[in-house]
Amino acid sequence: MNDNPNQHNQQQGQQSDQGQPFTGFSPAGGPPYGQGPIVKKHSGLGISSFVLALVALLTFILAIILIASSLPEFMNMTSQEELQQRIMDSNGEGFEGLVFGSLVIFLAIGIAFIGLVLGIIGACMRNRKKVFSIIGIVLNGLITFGSGFMLILGVANAV
């Protein structure tokens, strides 16, 4: 009889392996044979998407501040005719904040759209972590579609 338990375990291990042929392949979903587990890195495109979402959000906030800072001049207008007369008399002066703020909003929408595309591509990459890609998709999607929705509401309100 074997008094050594390690030798007994080795013999049992040999007996259980005898009936199975060696294929050299790892089980499905496992690391390749002879290698350790695969360490996933963060997706570079996902990180870029997240950073672009933050930049777009800050740009959008800057645009709102620019537009809001020029609004007090126009709050004293009582009618649309008075506003149109002021535009004609001043030759468009005093509207720089509104125009520049509107252009910055479109810039923020463009940045968010690029970040949305990068986030989708980063989420489709294999063997990469998808945390930043998903956060980038959500934030950029909210900025892009939220701004588009606000634009549609503004046009519908003007008609």
Side-chain angles (χ1 to χ4, degrees), residues 5-24:
N6 290 335
Q7 188 178 13
H8 179 68
N9 289 341
Q10 289 174 354
Q11 288 176 354
Q12 284 183 347
Q14 289 173 356
Q15 290 173 358
S16 65
D17 289 341
Q18 288 176 355
Q20 300 173 355
F22 176 73
T23 60

Side-chain angles (χ1 to χ4, degrees), residues 78-92:
T78 56
S79 67
Q80 187 174 2
E81 292 81 21
E82 186 180 349
L83 179 62
Q84 289 174 350
Q85 187 62 37
R86 171 141 185 237
I87 293 171
M88 295 298 217
D89 291 344
S90 65
N91 202 15

Side-chain angles (χ1 to χ4, degrees), residues 24-39:
F25 298 108
S26 64
Y33 182 74
Q35 296 180 2
I38 297 173
V39 178

